[in-house]
Amino acid sequence: RRRHTRYIGDWSSDVCSSDLKLEIVVEDDQIDRLVELLVESARSGKIGDGKVWVTPVEQMVRIRTGESGPDAI
């Protein structure tokens, strides 16, 4: 079973500011490590560091080829 991990955060500096949204689909056994890496990489301790949430992916289809399931990743 696959899960969809999503990170939405805000990166800012003295020069510029922009939003970032990542959507990553991984196997269940990769979720904890991915979340750990995202949190470690994104944490600045400031407001706007972002959030990570994990949701199930019920089905995936690659439109171009019609592949579905694990073949569509």
Side-chain angles (χ1 to χ4, degrees):
R1 187 159 178 106
R2 286 168 186 69
R3 299 285 175 177
H4 184 198
T5 301
R6 192 178 287 176
Y7 166 77
I8 295 183
D10 177 47
W11 174 83
S12 62
S13 71
D14 294 337
V15 178
C16 64
S17 176
S18 64
D19 291 334
L20 172 70
K21 178 181 179 181
L22 300 175
E23 294 190 31
I24 305 168
V25 177
V26 298
E27 297 285 349
D28 280 349
D29 63 344
Q30 299 173 322
I31 295 170
D32 292 337
R33 182 67 181 134
L34 177 61
V35 170
E36 180 182 320
L37 288 170
L38 288 170
V39 170
E40 287 174 5
S41 299
R43 181 180 289 143
S44 72
K46 298 177 182 175
I47 293 175
D49 277 353
K51 295 173 179 67
V52 175
W53 63 91
V54 178
T55 58
V57 173
E58 298 300 325
Q59 183 177 0
M60 179 181 291
V61 177
R62 180 174 292 164
I63 295 171
R64 180 178 53 86
T65 63
E67 295 169 299
S68 63
D71 294 334
I73 295 178

